[in-house]
Amino acid sequence: MTIEIYRDAWGIPHLRASDIRELARAQGRVTAHDRAWQLEVERHRAQGTSASFLGAEALSWDVFARRARLDDTARRCFAALERRDPQTAAWVRAYADGVTEGLAAGARRAPEFARTALAPGRWQPWTPLGVWLGTHILFAGFPAKLWREQAIRHLGPDAVGLFATDGPGTAGSNGWLVTGERTATGHALIAGDPHRFIEDPGVYQQIRLSCPEFDVVGLAVPGVPGIAHFGHTGTAAWAITNAMADYQDLYRERLRRTGAGIEALGPDGTWHRAARHTETVEIAGEPTVEIEIIETARGPVIAGGPDGLDAFTARVPEEPAPDSGRAPQGPGAVGPRRGGEGPAAGVPGHAAETAGGGGAVQGPPAPGGAVLGSPGPGGAVLGSPGPGGAVLGSPGPGGAVLGPPGPGGAVQGPTAPGGESRTGDAGGRHAGAGGEAEALALRYPPRVTEDLGFSALLPLLRARGVGDIDRALDAWTEPVNVVQAADTAGGTLHRVAGKVPVRARANRLHPVPAWEPGHDWHGTHETPYAEPADGIAVMANARGLATPLGVEFAPPHRADRIRALLDARRTWTADGMPAIHTDTHLASAAPLLDHLASLAGLTPAAADLRDRLVAWDRRMEADSTEAAAYAAVRGAVVRQLAAHPVFAPLAQPPAYPDLLLPWLALVPRIGYALEHLLRAEDVYGIDRAAAVRTALEEVAAAPPARPWAATHRLAPWKALPDEPHTTDEAAAPGLGGDHDCVLCTSAVPGLTDRAARGPAARYVWDLADRANSRWVVPFGADGVPGSAHHRDQLPLWLAGELAPVVTDWALLTPEPADPTTTESTEEAHD
């Protein structure tokens, strides 16, 4: 047995082992050394046990994870993997063993363990599958179906298209492939940047994995073996973006208690026994909570039950003074923040700083639960949790979630057999005379097929050409991605990877009634493929290759801009890619600027501001005061529109668990759909010109004096926020870019200029010479605060620069023999 660990100048691990299992063990151990805290947070999240050491702020996620059966699904998928693909199962097991071996030593490096009194645990062979599932369960944004249902009910079916955007609830990325005919070397280049919630430690781990079978560099997901999303094997390389596919369904269930348990009404018109048990959730410093776990033939019930809604008491940590500079986070905030896990609707370190005249801000709270928004219509606080959101009303034991509010605020219940409609009270209690109540069940592919797609991971590492990558991706399950790949022989690949079920269109738009026929799954869609056009393929979450598989896609601006930049030059080299990564042109500004240009009869100050913005170059540069002024006017317009009475029904939060509410937050929805709302022929009779005029005059009365970066600051998510006296202001630097720029640093128009989401990594894969590839992450390779490589890549990331990918072993620094290889695993605790 031989295991060697090397590091480059950035502390990035390069691992070499005698076989694939030993390499997997080494990857697990080195990840535990570098990121023990991150790994244990992810393990507990997958199990639904994070509140046991992070406190009440994590309870919302834990309840969801248990109700959605994430850990049980991971166990089932691993058992199936052992039957179907024992080699991959053994490889995954070796990784988990390596993590357990390295955790004790890694935990001694990480101060968070002492702060929370957490002991490092033992990783089970299915834990990496649970981490993968927990990371991506909300990636497809199934809660957006609840928003569409609300919008259709109150505004009509046209609202689906009007609000269709990659704003709240989805994750995006940029990616582009330039074939050899368009490069100086005659070999392909692949480049891009995944857009995720920016986390500290980061969501991607730069790593190299080498053994006699393969030698691969790439970006791994901490807690998962191999290199799944972005890799270069020397002769082939691949990268992904979110396909924006819809592959998860919500079913409205009718449930009732009987002497034997719980029954659900099926599409055959009869009642069927549902699986049911209870679980106890531990909360640090507070009494335990018992929750009821229910699963119907459609899937696990994630909200509601047969008894009505029993909400937990909201726990909102004290918000610091607005000028304190401290993020309003609780002692341990864990909540929706991953990829599609909730919109960037509440971000740390600010109050609702863009709020201003006229419009109420119905904003979600920041991580830790501090409510950033003002009361909306009727005085109700319309906030929902952002990353790490506080518990604002998760379901209690057997808690049912009712239908969304109907006219007048009444909670609309299901229709009883025989056509009798039941309406619950506005407080959210809902049960019919026969004891029935409504619930939401989630159907997602791995729960149905017992397959998370891990059989793709080893073949990807072994790939020598695009044909190998193509065959490997046939086993991919989720998340559903668009993939670009190339090899040194000149081959290219552009396809969708993942399983999307075939079912009725209604399933894709909104929750469907489980008691009505016609909502079953019937196999999966065929895989879409495409070819590069004139030597270029671009993927940026817009409509295109994956259009038949989704409902909401990104606006075309990022994709169009990347294509235009690439077409501006016939021949490309790797050195030219960072200029594309960091482009700040904001094409989505056009509709608002057009409205501004048409305004007349303004005050002198407003006319001057209008003229400045109309002449502006539409670049969201960090040092631009015009960009700051545009953002201020945009935010004011969003608040003006959100405060209009026509949207009042959408500002009232339905009685859903707080984990789902970010997708229903009105202000972010309007902010991200603003260009559609301003361009549409009519928007429900709203006088948009008046709204724009009012917003312009409001901002002109006190225009921003500082540049865009003064308020557009990075707001990274941390499972355990820094203590106030240790907060590093350098971790919240000013940024350029905006949501629809190629430099996608997402503010939340109408709520905040802070950016919680952005490029979680940047990469350039050079097929001419892998040593000419380069990459960067927002912080660094080491997850331990204060270590040499914790934040050493941040200056590169901010400047749009990339670190070299080192492939010469002679240029790397070997580490001494790993002491954790002989350390007893008895130090680990369950």
Side-chain angles (χ1 to χ4, degrees), residues 91 209 214 216 226-227 233 238 457-464:
W91 176 70
L209 304 175
F214 52 77
V216 187
I227 294 169
T233 71
W238 70 94
L457 298 182
L458 272 174
L460 279 173
L461 297 176
R462 293 172 172 142
R464 296 292 179 266

Side-chain angles (χ1 to χ4, degrees), residues 213-478:
E213 293 188 44
F214 52 77
D215 183 342
V216 187
V217 297
L219 300 168
V221 174
V224 178
I227 294 169
H229 288 155
F230 308 92
H232 196 322
T233 71
T235 59
W238 70 94
I240 62 95
T241 65
N242 186 353
M244 309 297 284
D246 182 89
Y247 51 89
Q248 301 164 331
D249 284 349
L250 286 175
Y251 289 81
R252 292 202 173 277
E253 298 276 2
R254 287 188 190 157
L255 303 179
R256 70 181 185 186
R257 289 198 188 277
T258 68
I262 294 176
E263 293 181 337
L265 185 60
D268 58 359
T270 61
W271 292 89
H272 300 268
R273 181 76 176 269
R276 180 256 179 207
H277 71 276
T278 61
E279 294 184 8
T280 299
V281 184
E282 295 184 359
I283 311 168
E286 300 197 21
T288 60
V289 174
E290 186 176 80
I291 61 173
E292 188 170 37
I293 310 299
I294 303 169
E295 187 162 8
T296 73
R298 271 65 58 189
V301 171
I302 61 167
D307 299 329
L309 180 63
D310 290 317
F312 294 133
T313 301
R315 300 174 178 89
V316 182
E318 180 183 356
E319 187 173 0
D323 60 351
S324 70
R326 178 168 65 87
Q329 298 177 314
V334 168
R337 90 284 183 210
R338 276 291 175 76
E341 288 186 47
V347 295
H350 70 290
E353 58 197 23
T354 59
V361 180
Q362 294 102 31
V371 177
L372 304 182
S374 304
V381 175
L382 307 177
S384 7
V391 180
L392 300 177
S394 304
V401 169
L402 318 180
V411 179
Q412 303 301 310
T415 303
E420 179 184 357
S421 176
R422 294 191 305 276
T423 302
D425 61 43
R429 208 97 172 110
H430 171 109
E436 299 172 34
E438 192 170 301
L440 284 174
L442 173 65
R443 188 171 181 84
Y444 57 100
R447 189 69 183 166
V448 176
T449 65
E450 297 184 337
D451 183 13
L452 266 171
F454 270 44
S455 288
L457 298 182
L458 272 174
L460 279 173
L461 297 176
R462 293 172 172 142
R464 296 292 179 266
V466 295
D468 299 328
I469 295 172
D470 191 22
R471 287 185 290 274
L473 293 175
D474 287 340
W476 193 271
T477 296
E478 70 166 64

Side-chain angles (χ1 to χ4, degrees), residues 469-476 481-484 493-498 527-530 545:
I469 295 172
D470 191 22
R471 287 185 290 274
L473 293 175
D474 287 340
W476 193 271
N481 296 320
V482 175
V483 181
Q484 291 175 337
L493 176 68
H494 191 192
R495 61 164 287 181
V496 172
T527 300
Y529 285 82
L545 185 61

Side-chain angles (χ1 to χ4, degrees), residues 198-219:
I198 302 299
E199 301 184 31
D200 183 6
V203 298
Y204 284 114
Q205 174 193 32
Q206 299 153 297
I207 200 165
R208 182 183 186 182
L209 304 175
S210 180
C211 66
E213 293 188 44
F214 52 77
D215 183 342
V216 187
V217 297
L219 300 168

Side-chain angles (χ1 to χ4, degrees), residues 73-94 125-129 225 449-459 475 477:
T73 301
R75 290 173 184 245
R76 293 186 184 190
C77 288
F78 185 79
L81 187 67
E82 286 190 302
R83 297 191 302 269
R84 299 167 182 163
D85 185 356
Q87 183 187 47
T88 296
W91 176 70
V92 174
R93 185 187 294 272
W126 59 83
T127 302
L129 284 75
T449 65
E450 297 184 337
D451 183 13
L452 266 171
F454 270 44
S455 288
L457 298 182
L458 272 174
T477 296

